[in-house]
Amino acid sequence: MNRTLRQQDYGGLKRSGKGLVRRYIAKMTGLSRAQSARLIGRYQGGGAVTPRVYQRHRFANRYTRADIEVLAAVDEAHETLSGPATQKILQRAWHEFHDAQCERLARLSVAQLYRLRKSGSYRHRRVAYQPTRPTQVAIGERRKPDPQGRPGYLRVDMVHQGDLDGVKGLYHINAVDEVTQWQVVGATAQISEAWLMPVLEAMLAQFPFHIRGFHSDNGSEFINHTVAQMLNKLLVEQTKSRPRHSNDNGLAETKNGWVKG
């Protein structure tokens, strides 16, 4: 802008010429008409056109980097408690134990405490990881069935036949009564609802006694709302295997080898 105004001798131009130069400067710099006129006025006043550094008004930091590191150390020692609990710890550290590091942190509000935890200094000092929480599925009761010598308590499992030349094999459904060892085997090409439900209904109808229990592993082919609705309609209690209890459904699993063979 300085070079253009000197080359064009802006002060000696007529009004039309000044307007043309002003529009040219606004076009080339992307400034508005008011901004261009303000800078040109500064040039005519004898000063060079220089950009002013924007001075943002900032309040002084009440809590220093050292305070944030102390807060991170307290959270690390107490496994990141809630804001009010951490606030009480910092207050007791200063008022009761006279810890000089916690003098300013003793006046820390709960809202400011959470803001400091989000700061870059805090995250650089301490990174807290929260493990993935398992999703609880409220379908079926997680326990081992107790038939008490009565038939009708089935152990159900599914085994895949395997693939051949890239073609997906059949899925075999193995249902065994725990007391009488009566066994019914079904097969389906897919384990989707449209394929699986007719097979399950036909298998349950082949048992010569009333079905009282349906026990399976935690696979989604059996632990879903569609199967649960069908069993509830038949007044059949649904149970599922417990973690770290491999024998809960061992009866059906021991017969899978014969079914697959």
Side-chain angles (χ1 to χ4, degrees):
M1 186 179 292
N2 287 316
R3 184 173 63 253
T4 301
L5 293 175
R6 284 195 302 268
Q7 290 176 352
Q8 300 299 326
D9 188 17
Y10 184 82
L13 294 176
K14 296 183 179 180
R15 184 174 181 178
S16 59
K18 291 182 178 180
L20 182 62
V21 173
R22 187 184 301 112
R23 289 193 298 271
Y24 171 79
I25 290 176
K27 182 69 173 180
M28 298 303 297
T29 60
L31 300 176
S32 65
R33 182 178 181 276
Q35 291 173 323
S36 302
R38 189 181 305 112
L39 294 177
I40 292 174
R42 189 183 307 169
Y43 172 82
Q44 288 182 310
V49 180
T50 57
R52 289 184 178 180
V53 180
Y54 178 66
Q55 298 290 338
R56 181 182 295 275
H57 178 72
R58 300 183 64 179
F59 294 98
N61 291 331
R62 179 177 298 180
Y63 303 102
T64 63
R65 184 182 182 91
D67 295 331
I68 298 176
E69 292 181 355
V70 172
L71 175 62
V74 171
D75 285 342
E76 185 175 1
H78 295 84
E79 298 183 355
T80 313
L81 299 175
S82 63
T86 306
Q87 183 188 44
K88 294 298 181 183
I89 292 175
L90 297 173
Q91 292 175 354
R92 292 183 67 240
W94 166 243
H95 294 294
E96 297 185 18
F97 299 98
H98 307 290
D99 188 351
Q101 293 181 332
C102 299
E103 180 179 0
R104 285 187 297 270
L105 293 176
R107 301 188 297 270
L108 184 65
S109 65
V110 176
Q112 183 66 24
L113 188 148
Y114 284 119
R115 282 193 288 269
L116 293 181
R117 283 179 175 175
K118 296 179 181 179
S119 64
S121 301
Y122 180 91
R123 294 183 177 181
H124 181 74
R125 171 63 174 77
R126 169 172 168 75
V127 179
Y129 297 96
Q130 183 177 2
T132 304
R133 299 180 180 179
T135 303
Q136 299 294 333
V137 180
I139 298 177
E141 186 178 354
R142 197 180 295 278
R143 64 175 175 83
K144 182 179 180 180
D146 185 14
Q148 297 181 355
R150 298 174 299 172
Y153 287 86
L154 305 182
R155 302 297 185 92
V156 185
D157 197 15
M158 178 176 290
V159 58
H160 186 224
Q161 182 66 38
D163 301 339
L164 179 62
D165 297 332
V167 180
K168 204 72 174 177
L170 294 176
Y171 293 90
H172 297 282
I173 306 172
N174 185 20
V176 186
D177 180 65
E178 183 175 358
V179 176
T180 65
Q181 301 293 302
W182 191 288
Q183 183 177 2
V184 176
V185 180
T188 176
Q190 301 179 17
I191 56 176
S192 60
E193 177 183 340
W195 291 76
L196 183 60
M197 292 306 299
V199 178
L200 281 179
E201 294 176 356
M203 290 176 60
L204 295 180
Q206 294 182 40
F207 284 93
F209 37 73
H210 176 68
I211 306 300
R212 295 184 173 90
F214 186 96
H215 183 86
S216 65
D217 55 15
N218 293 274
S220 60
E221 64 271 11
F222 299 122
I223 306 300
N224 56 69
H225 293 283
T226 305
V227 176
Q229 184 178 3
M230 179 193 70
L231 297 177
N232 186 41
K233 184 178 180 181
L234 299 175
L235 301 179
V236 178
E237 67 175 8
Q238 186 176 8
T239 57
K240 54 188 177 181
S241 299
R242 300 167 293 177
R244 297 177 296 277
H245 289 75
S246 58
N247 292 330
D248 279 0
N249 205 26
L251 177 62
E253 292 175 357
T254 54
K255 296 180 178 294
N256 285 341
W258 175 83
V259 172
K260 188 174 181 180

